[in-house]
Amino acid sequence: MHSRHIHTGVPDDVLVVVSGIAVTSIARTAVDVAACADLARALAVMDSALRLGVTLEELRAEAARHRIRGAAVVDAALRYADGRSANPGESWGRAQMIEAGLPVPELQTEFELGDGSTAFTDYDWGRVLIAEFDGFRKYGRDVRPGQSVEDAVVREKVREDRLRDLGCDVVRFIWADLENRLMVPRVTQKLRRHGLL
């Protein structure tokens, strides 16, 4: 069973046609969704909009166009939105760090590894501490033709060892750590250990 929501009073300039159906633009949709969400969800939708090519200026302009409930959450999400965040789990992790008052990390920092390869990290604080979010599909997605999931896991372990060889400390977290609020205490401990708090 399909349902549809018909909105009246939506300005024509925020409508686009997708498969013959008029829908709101990505910028308008992101602002509307963020206005009804907590920071984690709002940040995830704003990060996603940026990844899809919407500019921060477009999102800010759309948020300023109309009075909305949830404006404080939208403003906070816009302040921290970053299209380099690769997926909702990374956005959620960053939202928890922000809510805990931790320093906001750099995203997708490039590291030249000792074996000539390059690594991009999920979160980075001063090239001293790295945090990596491991989603459910990470290793399955990273399997190369002719390789197994175990090969992908070993390759990730080697990558982590190469980052440690550069003097970086690495902390990993998964969905369950976000759901149970276990990530922030672990990251906080590491930040303190390295004098980054």
Side-chain angles (χ1 to χ4, degrees):
M1 179 175 168
H2 298 284
S3 66
R4 68 179 171 173
H5 298 275
I6 299 174
H7 300 273
T8 58
V10 176
D12 287 342
D13 64 343
V14 298
L15 295 176
V16 294
V17 177
V18 177
S19 299
I21 300 170
V23 297
T24 56
S25 67
I26 294 172
R28 174 62 183 260
T29 302
V31 169
D32 286 347
V33 170
C36 301
D38 59 12
L39 180 60
R41 289 176 178 86
L43 191 58
V45 75
M46 293 298 185
D47 288 351
S48 181
L50 292 173
R51 276 195 312 276
L52 291 170
V54 177
T55 67
L56 198 50
E57 293 72 30
E58 290 172 310
L59 290 168
R60 285 186 177 132
E62 192 56 50
R65 284 179 73 156
H66 51 85
R67 286 177 126 355
I68 52 174
R69 256 196 197 159
V73 174
V74 171
D75 289 345
L78 286 171
R79 188 174 327 121
Y80 294 106
D82 192 322
R84 295 174 297 171
S85 187
N87 57 59
E90 289 180 24
S91 298
W92 189 9
R94 206 163 82 259
Q96 287 188 12
M97 294 172 197
I98 292 163
E99 289 172 331
L102 298 180
V104 179
E106 280 298 314
L107 306 180
Q108 301 303 321
T109 302
E110 182 177 5
F111 287 83
E112 296 293 330
L113 304 181
D115 61 2
S117 65
T118 301
F120 290 87
T121 58
D122 296 340
Y123 311 91
D124 165 50
W125 291 269
R127 303 180 81 83
V128 172
L129 176 62
I130 292 164
E132 297 279 80
F133 168 69
D134 293 334
F136 291 128
R137 299 181 330 163
K138 177 179 177 60
Y139 298 110
R141 184 186 64 229
D142 290 344
V143 173
R144 295 176 181 162
Q147 291 187 333
S148 66
V149 171
E150 291 80 14
D151 294 328
V153 170
V154 169
R155 190 170 60 251
E156 183 64 18
K157 174 69 173 119
V158 168
R159 174 184 173 273
E160 185 173 317
D161 288 343
R162 298 275 188 271
L163 288 166
R164 290 183 199 282
D165 290 345
L166 296 175
C168 300
D169 194 358
V170 180
V171 60
R172 294 187 165 283
F173 61 92
I174 59 174
W175 282 109
D177 295 324
L178 294 174
E179 291 164 353
N180 297 304
R181 298 278 178 175
L182 299 174
M183 179 273 296
V184 165
R186 292 178 56 221
V187 170
T188 300
Q189 180 184 35
K190 296 265 189 175
L191 287 167
R192 282 200 178 113
R193 181 182 304 162
H194 294 290
L196 297 168
L197 260 186

